[in-house]
Amino acid sequence: MVKLIGPKKLRTSVFISGRGSNFKNLLKFSLKKNFPIKIICVVSNNLNAKGLNIATKYKIKKKIYKSEYEILNYLNKNKIELICLAGFMKILSKNFIRNFKGKIINIHPSLLPKYKGLNTHQRVLDNKEKISGCTVHIVSPKLDSGKIILQKTVRISKKDNHRSLAKKILKQEHILYPKAIKKLLINL
Ligand code: GRF
């Protein structure tokens, strides 16, 4: 894994498909002097992703994902060293992951290895779990299965529905993702 030496910030691309609250949060952190990434561009496979408005507002380059080949070229041209997936709803190929080995990370709203995939919160509630949470992990070719960097647990109350649980977990995601990036890059 690339280790940060001195004050250098890793050139980073964030991949989104929707709202982009994690993107916005990472952007906020990345503007701090001692945070080890600089967000160069945002990639979205959805032209209507709300998160793209955040990119416009903060003058971050935007790229619409049409083909993997095109995106790989774009990332190479922009000298991207780290990719942060943040609600990116497309599965990346083995070839793509190989090209950025150990340098693609993802946030997932469950305590992996439990509840990989979609509709996490409803499945957690249906199984009457008492806790859930979120996980930041390195992306490997198997969905939601790479090495875990950090996790955060959230208690589920009897009153929770999938919306309230998603909200509680999202709040923790916004703390966990920057913390995991720091852990990965500066071994804090
Ligand atoms: C988050 O819950 C994240 O864990 C999941 O997708 C959601 C994205 O939310 N992978 P946002 O677009 O960052 O607001």
Side-chain angles (χ1 to χ4, degrees):
M1 187 57 225
V2 183
K3 284 270 164 350
L4 189 84
I5 304 159
K8 184 184 175 274
K9 282 174 176 262
L10 238 55
R11 295 176 65 84
T12 300
S13 177
V14 182
F15 282 29
I16 63 166
S17 297
R19 176 179 55 187
S21 72
N22 277 287
F23 162 50
K24 187 176 180 187
N25 181 57
L26 290 182
L27 188 57
K28 197 181 89 195
F29 273 84
S30 72
L31 298 173
K32 295 184 184 179
K33 192 165 164 250
N34 290 319
F35 197 72
I37 65 168
K38 177 179 166 69
I39 297 178
I40 305 294
C41 57
V42 61
V43 169
S44 173
N45 65 328
N46 170 14
L47 191 64
N48 300 315
K50 282 215 177 100
L52 290 172
N53 300 331
I54 301 163
T56 308
K57 189 168 164 205
Y58 289 86
K59 298 194 168 58
I60 301 291
K61 285 203 261 187
K62 291 169 283 186
K63 179 79 181 167
I64 299 299
Y65 183 112
K66 290 196 198 91
S67 80
E68 219 176 64
Y69 176 77
E70 192 195 6
I71 289 298
L72 268 178
N73 278 337
Y74 179 79
L75 298 174
N76 287 333
K77 229 171 51 198
N78 282 282
K79 300 190 171 51
I80 296 302
E81 300 164 290
L82 179 76
I83 297 173
C84 296
L85 306 183
F88 187 62
M89 303 298 282
K90 199 168 171 61
I91 293 174
L92 298 166
S93 76
K94 279 194 184 112
N95 175 55
F96 187 97
I97 295 169
R98 216 180 297 123
N99 264 277
F100 278 91
K101 202 164 181 296
K103 291 186 270 176
I104 309 177
I105 57 178
N106 181 40
I107 186 150
H108 184 76
S110 80
L111 294 173
L112 290 175
K114 286 180 116 183
Y115 302 101
K116 296 172 183 175
L118 297 176
N119 300 323
T120 322
H121 306 305
Q122 194 54 57
R123 286 188 287 134
V124 163
L125 292 170
D126 290 346
N127 282 344
K128 309 219 175 326
E129 297 280 6
K130 299 228 163 30
I131 57 163
S132 187
C134 45
T135 304
V136 178
H137 65 96
I138 295 185
V139 172
S140 74
K142 249 178 115 191
L143 183 72
D144 298 329
S145 294
K147 186 173 178 281
I148 290 171
I149 304 168
L150 274 183
Q151 290 186 305
K152 173 73 184 172
T153 298
V154 167
R155 238 177 244 286
I156 301 174
S157 84
K158 289 212 175 74
K159 287 185 215 143
D160 272 322
N161 56 36
H162 73 94
R163 269 191 212 94
S164 64
L165 184 58
K167 202 170 160 194
K168 266 193 209 173
I169 292 179
L170 190 69
K171 199 170 160 201
Q172 294 306 320
E173 290 183 36
H174 293 166
I175 300 168
L176 193 73
Y177 213 166
K179 221 172 159 185
I181 289 175
K182 274 190 162 182
K183 184 177 179 215
L184 183 72
L185 298 179
I186 36 184
N187 270 341
L188 279 185

